[in-house]
Each structure stands twice: as structure tokens, then as C-alpha cells.
Amino acid sequence: MNEQELKQSQVDDDEIDLFELMEKIWNRKWFVVIFTAFICFLTIIYLFFIAKPVYEATAIIMPPSADSIQSFNIGREVKDLNLPSLTVNDVFSEFLKMLRMRENIKDFAIHYYIPTLELNVNKDDSNDIIKSFEKNISLSVSTIKELPDAYVLKFKHESPEKAYAILDSFIQETNSKTQDSLLKRNKSEIAGLIQKIENQLNSIIKTDLEEKDAQLVRLEEALEIAKAVELINPMMVYGEGNLDTAIYVDRNLLYMQGTRALEAQIDALKKRTNDEAFIFTQQYLNLKSNLAYYKSLNFNTDNIEVKKLSGDVDSPNTSIKPNKKLILVVVFLLSFMTSMFIILVQDTIDTRKKNNR
């Protein structure tokens, strides 16, 4: 045999004969059947008796209607308030923010979720449970074309009933907290405005009292002059008209009113008990009207919403994990292929042993 024939013989020996391979596998078909059946049997035991199923409750959340957010805008419709009215998107964004807020999730987990577990939980276990709760709840944008502004809130749990109950309670608790937050903000801003108006009124009253004191000084000085010239009754001053004359006397020659009139004015000013009754400026009257309005506001919490649900919270009927059918198919294929691989490896080892003898 020449060198070329020797090389060709070696190549032929190295080539895999598919028919021979199939024959070897067929000869050990019971090994394939038993191995695959055994692995599938263990998988079935795990899936149906060991693995805990996971259920997922779902809720589709949408923005509220315009009519249902009116209580959040009480007092804001007045132009003098200078506070922008809250829109539907503003209110809904606040609700979504509250859903994502870690403090809100942690608070709900501590006060509602952990008590439902009916376990004696220490601080370390509590932290682990809170982290697990955070992982099991998720919020995402809805992919439904008919609901472009909607969001999908999901919660996973081993019990379908608890998955539904916990998700529903989380939505309601977050709804209440959002309502309280928005109403509290509105009340706070209205209270700030009331304080501002009261400060403005107090400033006007203070200015009026200062003017009253200045008027007393002027009247007392005029009284001294009237006494000095012994003018008891008002002196008539002839001019273009009685109105011009009165203004001239009031502003420049108060003493010409006479001692009787001056003493009466001074006595009346000193005995005055309600200075506000003599303030007639339009600014003061407007401020008093606005103050009365803002103090009369009633922040009613009835019929207000920060969100709407598309239907009810979806109670899960089937588990999402584990996917038993898919796992069984994958395990069957892998175990079948593994059994054939074992046969090939064993055959390769046996062949080499024979060749080495």
C-alpha cells in the first residue's frame, strides 16, 4: 500500500458513518427511553409537587375624568390667587409618582403586606420581604393602542387570591395617599394666600391708624389756633363754590372750623372703637371680600378621583410560573439529546480502547 492509499484509509476511518451511528443508537434505544423518561419523571415531580406556582394579578390604570378632579382646584379658579389649576395629567402624574415612590411601597409592605403573611418577622427578615415585594410589583406603559395614556400595574404572588387582594389594596391605599397629598397641598397654598391677605389688611389698618394719629395731631393744633383767635363757630369763606371752600378749610385752615367742631372731631376720634369701619378704599374692600371667600371654602373629598381602572383588577386563574408545558418539552428534548450524546461518548471510548490493544 503506497503512502496515498494509507492517507485515504485513515481519512475513511475518521469519517463518521451515519448509518452505523444510527444503528448504535438503535441498539441502545432502551437506554435512551429509560434515561429520557427518568429525567422527565423527575421534572414532573418537581413541577407538580415541589415548585411553587406564581400568579400575576393585573390592573390597567388610566387618567381620571376632568369632573372628578374639581375638588383639587377649589379656590384656584380665582384670578387673584395666581395659582394654576391642576389638570387631569397633573393629578394622574402625581398618582403614578406615588405608585413608584419607594417610601410608599415600603410603607404598604410593612403595614399591609407583611401582616398578611402571618409570620413572626424580625427586622432582617422584614427587609428581605420588602425587597421581595418591590421585585414582585411592576408598573409599565400599556401597549394597548386604544388606551394610549394607560399604564399596567402587576403583582406576583404564590396565591392567586392574595395576588388580587394585595394589588387591589395597594391601588386603593395609593389612591387615598395621592388624594390626601393633593388636597393637603391645595389647603396649604390657600392657607398661605389667606395669611398673605390678612397681612395686607393689617398693613392697611396700620396705615389708617397712623393717619388717624396724624389727623388728631392736626386737629389738636387747629384747636389751639382756634382758641387763640377765639373762633368758636365755623368761619364762612367765600369762594367759587361751597365744595371748594370746604376742601380748602379741611386741608389748610382747620382752625376755621371753630373750637366746637374741632373738639367734637377730636372727641369722636378718641372714642372710636372700630377703625376698620371707616376704611373705604377699593383695595381694602376687595381684600375683605376675597378673605371671606377663601375662609368659607370647603374641601370636599367626595366624588374625587386620581385615576380610573379599565375594568376591575384582573384576578389570575392560571399561574405564569413555572411554564409546565414549555419546561417539559425543553427537558424532553435535552434529555433525549443527552442520552444520545452519552451513547456516542461511550462508543468513542470503547473504539479507542480496542484500537490501542
Side-chain angles (χ1 to χ4, degrees):
M1 180 180 296
N2 57 33
E3 183 178 351
Q4 185 177 357
E5 291 176 346
L6 180 61
K7 290 181 180 181
Q8 182 64 37
S9 177
Q10 292 176 348
V11 171
D12 292 339
D13 292 337
D14 292 337
E15 289 180 353
I16 299 175
D17 190 336
L18 292 178
F19 291 102
E20 182 181 354
L21 176 62
M22 294 299 297
E23 183 179 1
K24 291 178 180 179
I25 294 175
W26 178 254
N27 291 336
R28 301 191 61 182
K29 58 182 177 294
W30 287 113
F31 171 79
V32 175
V33 173
I34 294 173
F35 181 87
T36 303
F38 178 72
I39 299 299
C40 290
F41 175 75
L42 293 179
T43 303
I44 291 172
I45 294 296
Y46 171 77
L47 291 176
F48 288 89
F49 299 98
I50 299 177
K52 295 180 179 180
V54 176
Y55 296 87
E56 186 175 69
T58 305
I60 300 177
I61 304 171
M62 301 183 299
S65 62
D67 294 337
S68 63
I69 65 168
Q70 294 305 315
S71 291
F72 299 129
N73 289 318
I74 291 178
R76 290 174 174 266
E77 70 277 2
V78 181
K79 294 182 179 180
D80 295 340
L81 185 56
N82 294 324
L83 290 176
S85 297
L86 295 176
T87 65
V88 168
N89 288 334
D90 292 334
V91 173
F92 189 53
S93 296
E94 187 69 18
F95 176 70
L96 295 177
K97 176 183 174 182
M98 192 70 72
L99 282 178
R100 297 187 180 100
M101 190 179 298
R102 191 176 188 278
E103 292 182 2
N104 179 54
I105 296 174
K106 182 178 179 180
D107 182 70
F108 179 83
I110 292 173
H111 294 96
Y112 183 87
Y113 177 63
I114 292 179
T116 63
L117 302 178
E118 299 178 354
L119 299 173
N120 293 324
V121 180
N122 56 37
K123 185 175 181 180
D124 293 335
D125 292 338
S126 176
N127 291 332
D128 293 337
I129 293 174
I130 292 172
K131 290 179 181 178
S132 175
F133 179 80
E134 291 176 343
K135 291 180 180 178
N136 288 330
I137 196 161
S138 63
L139 180 68
S140 59
V141 178
S142 173
T143 57
I144 303 175
K145 293 182 179 179
E146 292 77 8
L147 303 174
D149 298 326
Y151 283 76
V152 179
L153 185 65
K154 298 179 179 180
F155 178 70
K156 300 174 184 177
H157 197 275
E158 295 172 1
S159 166
E161 293 80 10
K162 286 188 176 182
Y164 168 82
I166 291 171
L167 183 62
D168 184 65
S169 297
F170 181 67
I171 293 173
Q172 298 306 322
E173 287 293 320
T174 305
N175 182 83
S176 298
K177 286 185 177 180
T178 306
Q179 288 180 358
D180 293 342
S181 175
L182 291 171
L183 288 173
K184 184 178 180 180
R185 183 202 301 177
N186 199 28
K187 289 179 182 179
S188 176
E189 291 172 340
I190 296 295
L193 180 69
I194 290 175
Q195 184 63 48
K196 180 181 177 181
I197 293 175
E198 289 178 340
N199 291 339
Q200 290 176 322
L201 289 173
N202 291 334
S203 177
I204 293 175
I205 294 172
K206 182 181 178 181
T207 301
D208 183 72
L209 290 175
E210 292 174 351
E211 176 59 27
K212 173 187 171 182
D213 293 338
Q215 186 178 5
L216 277 171
V217 172
R218 291 193 296 270
L219 289 172
E220 288 173 347
E221 181 180 289
L223 178 61
E224 293 296 325
I225 297 173
K227 288 180 179 179
V229 298
E230 298 181 353
L231 181 63
I232 298 175
N233 296 314
M235 179 182 294
M236 297 301 296
V237 178
Y238 297 97
E240 294 182 359
N242 292 333
L243 180 60
D244 292 337
T245 301
I247 293 175
Y248 179 72
V249 170
D250 287 343
R251 290 181 180 177
N252 301 283
L253 301 173
L254 288 176
Y255 76 92
M256 296 179 66
Q257 296 181 25
T259 56
R260 287 183 179 179
L262 291 172
E263 287 175 347
Q265 290 184 64
I266 292 171
D267 185 60
L269 285 175
K270 289 182 177 181
K271 291 181 179 179
R272 183 184 294 176
T273 58
N274 185 2
D275 294 295
E276 290 187 57
F278 293 86
I279 303 176
F280 302 107
T281 64
Q282 190 62 44
Q283 180 190 14
Y284 181 82
L285 296 176
N286 289 338
L287 288 174
K288 288 288 288 185
S289 175
N290 289 340
L291 182 63
Y293 168 72
Y294 296 134
K295 284 188 173 181
S296 68
L297 294 178
N298 180 24
F299 296 91
N300 187 9
T301 58
D302 296 336
N303 301 320
I304 62 173
E305 292 181 346
V306 296
K307 57 87 183 82
K308 284 195 305 184
L309 293 180
S310 179
D312 297 325
V313 175
D314 181 25
S315 180
N317 296 320
T318 58
S319 62
I320 61 169
K321 292 181 181 180
N323 191 330
K324 298 177 182 178
K325 292 182 179 179
L326 178 61
I327 292 175
L328 280 174
V329 170
V330 172
V331 168
F332 172 79
L333 293 175
L334 289 176
S335 59
F336 182 76
M337 294 172 64
T338 302
S339 64
M340 290 191 293
F341 177 75
I342 292 173
I343 292 174
L344 293 177
V345 171
Q346 288 180 341
D347 182 71
T348 302
I349 294 173
D350 293 341
T351 301
R352 289 191 176 182
K353 287 181 178 179
K354 291 180 180 178
N355 294 334
N356 292 332
R357 290 179 182 177

